Amino acid sequence: MRLRNIPGAKEEMLVNPFVVQEPETKKGLWKQEVFGNDRPLHVEIGCGKGRFLSEMAEKNPGVNYLGIEKFSSVLLRALEKRAAMDADNLYYLRFDAEGLTEIFGDREVDRIYLNFSDPWPKARHWKRRLTSTEFLKRYDKVLAPGGTIEFKTDNEGLFDFSLESAREAGWQVLVMTRDLYHSPYAEGNVLTEYEDRFATLGKPIFKMIITR
Ligand code: SAM
């Protein structure tokens, strides 16, 4: 998702109270220093405009949520939603997830959500896909024992690639469906911005949950 460059978006990232600054200094300290508690930390990578996390944070006050998004102009929309919320368990970060191990300590994250990640269809770009074995190595380092990755997409090619990556990297598939809404996992599903569009078109949604 790449919006037009919105004037002032970059500057807003530096002053917004819900954007974490200097994330490298929080390594190993997210729960205590950012959230002020010891609750589980769930991270969405590529959170886009924040619809999923806004709803998750409201539904689950006992969980700490962090949304990571590469582009300021996109994150700005999530921050507008955040400002209207009465919650203390949701923060955001303008950051490229390639640097994940620079900002999280070993085993610091309890769950990672990847929702409708960019497919990067050209074969030579496979390392950029958020479910590539390169990214799985990073997740392996920062995820707690028993921690999970929950991945949803409308893109069958990306889904097959992701299953293959997970198996190649030795992850265990706990949940797998090629039609989420007609599966036992539909209950309690929280929609993302992208998902809403695809669901309206009647496209099947693919989902997997993996652990190692
Ligand atoms: N998760 C949202 C949804 O389902 O509505 C947004 C999906 S959009 C297709 C993918 C988002 O991931 C984009 O906003 C993009 O900027 C972000 N993204 C892609 N690669 C990223 C990376 N390496 N680090 C952080 N964000 C990334």
Side-chain angles (χ1 to χ4, degrees):
M1 181 190 320
R2 197 185 295 242
L3 289 185
R4 268 174 306 109
N5 216 14
I6 299 179
K10 281 195 181 133
E11 291 75 11
E12 179 63 22
M13 299 303 126
L14 301 173
V15 296
N16 190 291
F18 301 114
V19 177
V20 179
Q21 307 296 329
E22 300 184 351
E24 294 83 0
T25 65
K26 313 293 182 218
K27 188 171 180 170
L29 302 167
W30 281 87
K31 291 179 192 176
Q32 296 86 337
E33 285 209 355
V34 177
F35 296 93
N37 61 50
D38 197 29
R39 295 174 184 154
L41 175 60
H42 293 186
V43 175
E44 185 185 6
I45 300 178
C47 64
K49 297 180 188 172
R51 170 167 168 180
F52 175 77
L53 282 185
S54 304
E55 192 172 332
M56 291 296 280
E58 275 174 348
K59 278 193 168 164
N60 306 294
V63 175
N64 296 323
Y65 289 97
L66 179 73
I68 300 182
E69 170 54 51
K70 197 157 59 167
F71 293 110
S72 308
S73 300
V74 180
L75 193 52
L76 196 64
R77 299 296 174 230
L79 292 168
E80 286 165 3
K81 293 186 184 71
R82 181 66 184 89
M85 287 171 67
D86 181 21
D88 60 3
N89 61 337
L90 174 58
Y91 285 88
Y92 286 100
L93 193 56
R94 215 276 326 133
F95 191 74
D96 187 325
E98 281 190 15
L100 215 59
T101 55
E102 290 153 30
I103 61 167
F104 293 119
D106 290 355
R107 305 170 165 216
E108 192 172 13
V109 178
D110 296 282
R111 186 177 298 169
I112 293 174
Y113 290 103
L114 304 172
N115 290 320
F116 299 83
S117 308
D118 295 326
W120 291 106
K122 288 188 182 144
R124 69 172 190 276
H125 289 147
W126 69 272
K127 282 189 188 175
R128 297 185 193 177
R129 299 177 194 147
L130 293 180
T131 51
S132 68
T133 48
E134 293 297 302
F135 270 98
L136 288 173
K137 274 187 222 157
R138 298 175 180 122
Y139 306 149
D140 183 36
K141 228 169 143 22
V142 304
L143 261 187
T148 51
I149 299 177
E150 298 206 5
F151 172 57
K152 286 194 284 189
T153 183
D154 65 303
N155 187 311
E156 188 168 15
L158 180 64
F159 190 70
D160 289 339
F161 166 86
S162 307
L163 274 176
E164 189 53 42
S165 304
R167 289 186 179 132
E168 194 183 321
W171 292 64
Q172 192 190 334
V173 179
L174 299 178
V175 163
M176 206 279 275
T177 173
R178 292 177 177 274
D179 192 356
L180 176 60
Y181 301 152
H182 300 103
S183 80
Y185 314 112
E187 201 183 317
N189 179 55
V190 171
L191 271 77
T192 79
E193 255 106 5
Y194 266 63
E195 183 172 0
D196 196 12
R197 275 194 234 164
F198 298 126
T200 308
L201 295 172
K203 284 191 81 176
I205 302 301
F206 299 73
K207 177 171 181 171
M208 70 181 193
I209 303 180
I210 58 172
T211 190
R212 76 273 200 242

